[in-house]
Amino acid sequence: MTVGTNAFFLCQKVMFCFTDWPSGWCVAEFYPQGELQTKIGETKGMIKTIDVRKSFGSSLAVDQVSFEVKTGEVLGFLGPNGAGKSTTMRMITGFLPLSGGKIQIGDYDIEENPLEAKKLMGYLPENAPAYADMSVIAFLEFVAKIRGMKGVEAKEAVEKAIRTCHLEKVRMQIIDTLSKGYLHRVCFAQAILHDPPVLILDEPTDGLDPNQKHEMRELIKEMGKTKAIIVSTHILEEVEAICTRVIIIDQGKLVFNGTPAELLAKSPEAGQVVVRIQGHNAAEIREKLPEISDVAQVRIRQEGPAGVTAILSAKPEKAVQAGKVHKFLRDLNWDFDELHMENGRLDEVFRRITSLDSAGEVTK
Amino acid sequence: MNNAMTIAKRELASYFASPVAYVFLVIFLVLTGFFTFMMGNFFARNDASLLSFFVWHPWLYMLLVPAVGMRLWSEEQRMGTLELLFTMPITPAQAIWGKFIAGWIFLGVALLLTLPMVFTVYYLGEPDGGPMLTGYLGSFLMAGCYLAISGMTSALTRNQVISFITSVVICLLLVLAGYPPVTNILLKWGAPNALVEFAAGLSVVFHFESMQRGVLDIRDLIYFLSLIAFAIFTTGVVLKSKRS
């Protein structure tokens, strides 16, 4: 009996290998999944990566990366060059096989149900590749067909994508002759053609001029309301402009996962109060201002005819309140013409988070 | 199947979108004409058959088919469109077959354009139609083999020149394996008869020759089709292993 069932399963596996080769080959790569599956069951989201690993030979490009993106979220994917951003995106889109872990798109596992998972996704690869010898419209019609659209449906989808990406002027042009900005938009049009619930965009604003960048961001923001989107980028202002959540990876490891505000809060400057005072010198200010509650340190940034700019930083676990500073100065009857709280700077945080190793060496 | 056809159509259109297709067709037709009439002494043979036409095909294809197949996958890898293709909801097998079929159809078109040869023979004499038909079938299958092999080498590299040269060499080996100079060397080395026959049996020429004579042997068909299937399968393995 058992021998019989085993033989049956074996047959199924062999048949699977034949019908679905070469992707069927991954049948041989077995790893325990019981624990992972229960984890998936608990979370709900359109994109889920769980302990994803990718190694090329002996080097580990992506190491135990887990995150989740829900519908209505735009996830900013940050990291220095070579940190594993593109590799992770290529695994999510099913281009690269995983070395370990699991990725789910909607209800489908990208390795077990690649076709169903891929149907839910639109993908803009890095450098926006497209078939150079085709015209824009022929290329988009080809993609529509491959995406399973036919006749009127395909025509309408192509027209809509052309309108959305402002490609009307170049619709008959051969892709090879397009400028970089247009090429990028053609590839983006390809990604949104089938109105997918999941969008994976690898550096979508790369090579665009400032106007196009702005437009692309507005587009992503608008689409982010109804889709789950992952955007990788080098441009930090973009994260503040469009992302509802940020993850940072460095050397293949996830080092931050939170909202842009939380990321900003990690800046050493975040929460500092800046004040510019007239009629008093630096020494006076340094002596007097620490009396304000919760102020740990007073630094002078600038001294000039317009006044002395001082930066107040808080004691650990405390915050300097601008209102208290205001009241304190009023009580002293000091003149000041500037008082604000620093938001923190993203590039500062980014550098701190992603270059911990090199920073450590410097301090030694 | 549908997806494979969509990919085949795109690929075929891209052949004709560039000068490659036209250059290939012209050169193929000029060379077949030259070899048949000048080198093959078509008229002097005074024989109403296409033997002096088909006999050159293994050699012509050796140079020309890799020129068609070398771009199949190298180009996709160089341009980055492979990433686009393999993130679409299609299986790798559909993509590989689709591209292969496009190239094969193109080679079939080139072969069809030599039909005036058939009319010439019919005009000049009373040929036997059977060997011509099997000869064309054999030629088409052989072109398929060469194409599948050059598709395989093109999956190995993003450089079209390397892909071209590698597939020419492999095709050359397939042709030479059955020629007396090679089999004689094997015999001189004291190789057992069975081994010599096996080596000769690997040659495309060996199988193509019997089809030129009008013999339609199931073993020849199996040889050609299995060679194609093997090369296609290897292409799949190569493309998969390149990504992991």
Side-chain angles (χ1 to χ4, degrees), chain A residues 74-77 221 231 233 238-246 260:
Chain A
V74 180
L75 178 77
F77 198 11
K221 227 162 115 183
V231 182
T233 179
E238 210 156 272
V239 174
E240 286 185 278
I242 59 176
C243 298
T244 58
R245 216 150 49 78
V246 185

Side-chain angles (χ1 to χ4, degrees), chain A residues 87-306:
Chain A
T87 306
T88 308
M89 292 183 131
R90 284 176 179 158
M91 284 192 285
I92 293 173
T93 51
F95 181 64
L96 292 177
L98 280 69
S99 304
K102 242 175 151 32
I103 292 177
Q104 278 213 308
I105 309 297
D107 292 331
Y108 302 104
D109 185 294
I110 189 70
E111 302 239 272
E112 281 160 21
N113 272 315
L115 296 194
E116 295 304 321
K118 284 172 181 175
K119 275 180 193 163
L120 299 176
M121 268 186 289
Y123 178 37
L124 171 67
E126 203 177 1
N127 300 327
Y131 289 106
D133 50 25
M134 300 177 95
S135 69
V136 171
I137 186 122
F139 174 65
L140 292 178
E141 276 169 0
F142 163 69
V143 174
K145 252 194 237 164
I146 281 281
R147 291 277 181 198
M149 289 180 250
K150 284 192 189 106
V152 185
E153 187 196 3
K155 276 248 152 35
E156 275 173 6
V158 168
E159 288 308 318
K160 194 176 164 212
I162 284 179
R163 272 198 311 277
T164 314
C165 301
H166 303 293
L167 294 168
E168 291 95 342
K169 262 196 236 161
V170 297
R171 53 189 300 151
M172 290 302 170
Q173 211 169 316
I174 301 297
I175 289 176
D176 206 20
T177 65
L178 292 178
S179 69
K180 203 174 174 194
Y182 270 123
L183 178 63
H184 234 89
R185 281 189 273 165
V186 169
C187 204
F188 185 72
Q190 163 276 129
I192 59 167
L193 195 68
H194 53 303
D195 195 22
V198 175
L199 267 182
I200 314 289
L201 310 172
D202 202 347
E203 298 188 10
T205 57
D206 185 44
L208 301 183
D209 69 32
N211 291 336
Q212 294 166 341
K213 269 184 190 163
H214 175 77
E215 207 172 305
M216 177 67 88
R217 284 175 198 158
E218 291 301 310
L219 205 58
I220 294 172
K221 227 162 115 183
E222 183 61 35
M223 291 186 162
K225 288 173 189 163
T226 53
K227 300 180 194 302
I229 303 182
I230 300 182
V231 182
S232 88
T233 179
H234 288 302
I235 307 162
L236 293 161
E237 49 182 288
E238 210 156 272
V239 174
E240 286 185 278
I242 59 176
C243 298
T244 58
R245 216 150 49 78
V246 185
I247 60 175
I248 299 179
I249 67 171
D250 185 32
Q251 293 170 18
K253 286 195 168 66
L254 196 69
V255 289
F256 179 83
N257 184 351
T259 63
E262 283 166 3
L263 185 62
L264 277 173
K266 284 194 161 249
S267 166
E269 291 169 11
Q272 287 178 345
V273 171
V274 178
V275 58
R276 190 162 72 176
I277 297 165
Q278 284 84 30
H280 299 273
N281 64 26
E284 261 182 286
I285 290 168
R286 248 195 230 108
E287 189 191 36
K288 206 74 182 160
L289 291 194
E291 288 172 17
I292 305 169
S293 58
D294 294 337
V295 170
Q297 200 195 4
V298 176
R299 282 182 301 124
I300 305 299
R301 187 194 271 169
Q302 213 181 6
E303 231 179 317

Side-chain angles (χ1 to χ4, degrees), chain A residues 22 25 54 90 93 95-97 115 118-119 123 125 129-134 139 142-143 145-147 190, chain B residues 3 6-7 10 14 71 76 79-93 233 236 240 243-244:
Chain A
W25 280 46
K54 179 72 194 175
R90 284 176 179 158
T93 51
F95 181 64
L96 292 177
L115 296 194
K118 284 172 181 175
K119 275 180 193 163
Y123 178 37
Y131 289 106
D133 50 25
M134 300 177 95
F139 174 65
F142 163 69
V143 174
K145 252 194 237 164
I146 281 281
R147 291 277 181 198
Q190 163 276 129
Chain B
N3 287 333
T6 308
I7 287 167
R10 195 212 70 76
S14 91
R71 55 192 294 285
E76 295 262 355
M79 300 293 292
T81 42
L82 191 70
E83 201 169 339
L84 220 51
L85 194 62
F86 279 180
T87 51
M88 295 287 169
I90 54 168
T91 64
F233 178 77
K240 185 172 166 63
R243 287 182 291 142
S244 50

